[in-house]
Amino acid sequence: MPTSKKNDPRTLPVLEARTATWRLHLEKTAKQFEKMGFETSVVESIEDAATLLMHTVVPACAPKTVSFGGSVSVQQSGVLDALLAHKDIEVLNTYDYSLPPEASTELRRKALTVDLYITSVNAVAETGQLVLLDGIGNRTAAVQFGPKKVVLFIGRNKLCPTLEAAMDRTRNIAGPANAMRLNRQTPCTKTGECMNCQSPERICSTWTITERSFPKGRIHLVFINEEVGF
Ligand code: SF4
């Protein structure tokens, strides 16, 4: 009687095989970015990403000031609370939505010169490009220049085969999802795809494509082998 696949010790369960395949993609992509000066890590979960940040990155760069760019991935990670509890670090909490608009803008301006800045991207091309699209531009600005160290949490769902696909993902998946999250009255919240709107509530203003970390190691990419953020 033939051995059923379920009991065959030579076969991996579907989820395990999927995770293993994703890991290969993430490791290959990480290597591509390392060639251009990025520091990289590949971890299995958002919890692992938070642990890496608190137990490896923070002790290594000993930041006196930390801040954040808008990112569901970072908010999911729990690092905000961990950093707020850190007695030697001043946290410029850009996730404090109780602040009036002027104070919030001022905090984002100050965040451009912190020691450690933590955020995410909208998409990553496996060919070696980070794609970001901002409404305000504080996150795109900080990733380009200012903070001494930048850490990006990147769920595997952000991976795309090419730059073109990464821009398409940014426009047609991340854009509508973020507009819905922010309860914006934009056409994409009805259609589920970008309509290149002229709405006053538009959340898309500034694109950046980053393909090199300068200085070397300034940007640390933490690739996460699960779906995180959008
Ligand atoms: S440009 Fe407008 S329609 Fe397109 S994703 Fe941004 S907010 Fe939505």
Side-chain angles (χ1 to χ4, degrees):
M1 193 176 163
T3 313
S4 78
K5 278 196 173 173
K6 193 177 165 196
N7 298 322
D8 186 343
R10 294 168 302 177
T11 61
L12 277 175
V14 172
L15 264 178
E16 222 174 287
R18 219 169 136 208
T19 303
T21 307
W22 269 114
R23 175 165 263 277
L24 292 176
H25 273 277
L26 293 169
E27 287 173 348
K28 192 172 153 205
T29 306
K31 280 201 177 74
Q32 184 67 30
F33 278 96
E34 281 169 17
K35 290 181 200 163
M36 297 303 273
F38 293 87
E39 192 174 347
T40 69
S41 303
V42 179
V43 299
E44 290 304 319
S45 66
I46 189 69
E47 291 82 13
D48 291 349
T51 301
L52 177 83
L53 183 97
M54 296 308 298
H55 293 273
T56 305
V57 177
V58 166
C61 68
K64 289 193 169 41
T65 50
V66 175
S67 195
F68 311 92
S71 163
V72 171
S73 307
V74 173
Q75 288 178 295
Q76 280 180 297
S77 74
V79 297
L80 171 62
D81 287 341
L83 287 162
L84 284 169
H86 199 297
K87 63 180 172 45
D88 299 322
I89 295 176
E90 180 192 355
V91 176
L92 279 65
N93 184 5
T94 46
Y95 295 139
D96 182 355
Y97 300 114
S98 67
L99 290 174
E102 304 77 32
S104 180
T105 300
E106 193 50 32
L107 202 61
R108 287 182 172 123
R109 285 164 55 83
K110 285 189 180 146
L112 296 175
T113 56
V114 292
D115 294 332
L116 174 62
Y117 192 87
I118 308 158
T119 188
S120 186
V121 300
N122 297 108
V124 171
E126 292 178 51
T127 44
Q129 293 84 23
L130 307 173
V131 177
L132 289 90
L133 175 58
D134 267 19
I136 298 172
N138 58 303
R139 182 184 65 145
T140 49
V143 171
Q144 304 315 301
F145 182 77
K148 287 181 189 159
K149 181 86 179 174
V150 173
V151 173
L152 303 175
F153 284 176
I154 303 168
R156 70 188 190 190
N157 45 312
K158 306 268 177 95
L159 248 62
C160 301
T162 62
L163 176 58
E164 190 184 21
M167 292 182 75
D168 185 67
R169 177 187 200 284
T170 298
R171 202 186 276 285
N172 291 305
I173 295 178
N178 273 311
M180 284 182 207
R181 173 175 69 90
L182 298 167
N183 201 22
R184 296 298 177 97
Q185 300 305 306
T186 54
C188 59
T189 61
K190 311 283 185 304
T191 62
E193 61 185 336
C194 177
M195 307 301 285
N196 195 20
C197 70
Q198 296 181 2
S199 164
E201 304 229 336
R202 175 172 169 139
I203 61 164
C204 308
S205 305
T206 304
W207 287 88
T208 60
I209 295 166
T210 306
E211 59 183 9
R212 182 182 177 219
S213 173
F214 181 84
K216 187 177 180 189
R218 174 179 173 265
I219 304 178
H220 186 156
L221 309 180
V222 181
F223 292 103
I224 304 165
N225 194 2
E226 64 179 2
E227 295 215 358
V228 185
F230 40 74

